Amino acid sequence: MTAPDPDGLLAEQLLRLTRRVHRIQKRHLERRELGITPAQSRLLRTLAHYSSPPRMADLAERLEVVPRAVTTLVDGLEAHGAVRRVPDPANRRVIRIELTDAGRETLRELRAARRAAASEILAPLGEREREQLGELLNTLVDGPTGPPCEEGPAGRPDPVEG
């Protein structure tokens, strides 16, 4: 008989929760009929964190994707009027990506959909349980405070989720 694997069970629960969160968020996004993909919504959220329009290379690095993927995402968002390409004032060869007013409105809708999804997911929990979950998730997102484990350093939090 094998011993129980509590870490394996927790890992599976986290994966299942992640999939559930994505499904529920997707449903809430579809209800709002925004016409953008989850990857495009992530790019919009990322753009919102910049104080000035970033280069596509900056977005690719922040999103941890290849630059070609950013080009495809920007093309789609530009077609929806959510972003626009603008020349860099210091170097005309450099193109920057900026949010449009329509993009900012889309971001507001995205945030509302995320809040609705979170509310649905967290409905079974009371206020104290939500506080505890928040504390536990912060601990997991921030990683260990001690030296890294033998397998390498823990992942860093995604600063663009918002």
Side-chain angles (χ1 to χ4, degrees), residues 84-96:
R84 69 177 146 250
R85 290 172 165 91
V86 294
D88 184 300
N91 182 348
R92 293 183 330 173
R93 294 175 297 176
V94 174
I95 299 296
R96 296 191 174 268

Side-chain angles (χ1 to χ4, degrees), residues 21-75:
V21 167
H22 284 283
R23 274 193 319 273
I24 291 171
Q25 276 188 293
K26 185 177 178 184
R27 184 170 25 101
H28 281 273
L29 284 174
E30 288 170 354
R31 283 182 187 161
R32 292 174 187 275
E33 298 180 2
L34 297 174
I36 63 170
T37 67
Q40 289 171 332
S41 72
R42 185 169 176 235
L43 186 133
L44 283 176
R45 291 191 317 270
T46 301
L47 269 173
H49 284 62
Y50 283 92
S51 58
S52 62
R55 299 172 306 137
M56 285 212 223
D58 299 328
L59 290 168
E61 183 178 331
R62 183 67 98 42
L63 293 168
E64 297 179 350
V65 298
V66 297
R68 177 69 189 125
V70 171
T71 300
T72 302
L73 293 172
V74 168
D75 288 347

Side-chain angles (χ1 to χ4, degrees), residues 2-162:
T2 61
D5 180 9
D7 288 341
L9 176 61
L10 285 173
E12 180 61 28
Q13 288 173 310
L14 286 171
L15 290 172
R16 287 176 49 214
L17 177 60
T18 299
R19 286 191 295 264
R20 182 168 183 246
V21 167
H22 284 283
R23 274 193 319 273
I24 291 171
Q25 276 188 293
K26 185 177 178 184
R27 184 170 25 101
H28 281 273
L29 284 174
E30 288 170 354
R31 283 182 187 161
R32 292 174 187 275
E33 298 180 2
L34 297 174
I36 63 170
T37 67
Q40 289 171 332
S41 72
R42 185 169 176 235
L43 186 133
L44 283 176
R45 291 191 317 270
T46 301
L47 269 173
H49 284 62
Y50 283 92
S51 58
S52 62
R55 299 172 306 137
M56 285 212 223
D58 299 328
L59 290 168
E61 183 178 331
R62 183 67 98 42
L63 293 168
E64 297 179 350
V65 298
V66 297
R68 177 69 189 125
V70 171
T71 300
T72 302
L73 293 172
V74 168
D75 288 347
L77 288 169
E78 193 172 38
H80 279 90
V83 301
R84 69 177 146 250
R85 290 172 165 91
V86 294
D88 184 300
N91 182 348
R92 293 183 330 173
R93 294 175 297 176
V94 174
I95 299 296
R96 296 191 174 268
I97 308 303
E98 79 177 2
L99 279 171
T100 63
D101 288 341
R104 282 187 264 296
E105 179 57 33
T106 299
L107 266 174
R108 283 189 282 280
E109 289 290 327
L110 288 170
R111 288 181 179 127
R114 291 181 75 169
R115 280 192 301 277
S119 179
E120 182 178 332
I121 291 164
L122 298 173
L125 302 180
E127 186 175 334
R128 180 63 195 137
E129 291 169 314
R130 288 178 186 213
E131 289 173 15
Q132 289 173 325
L133 177 61
E135 291 168 9
L136 292 169
L137 290 173
N138 281 335
T139 299
L140 293 175
V141 168
D142 294 339
T145 56
C149 65
E150 292 177 16
E151 295 175 359
R156 289 177 288 153
D158 184 356
V160 300
E161 294 299 319

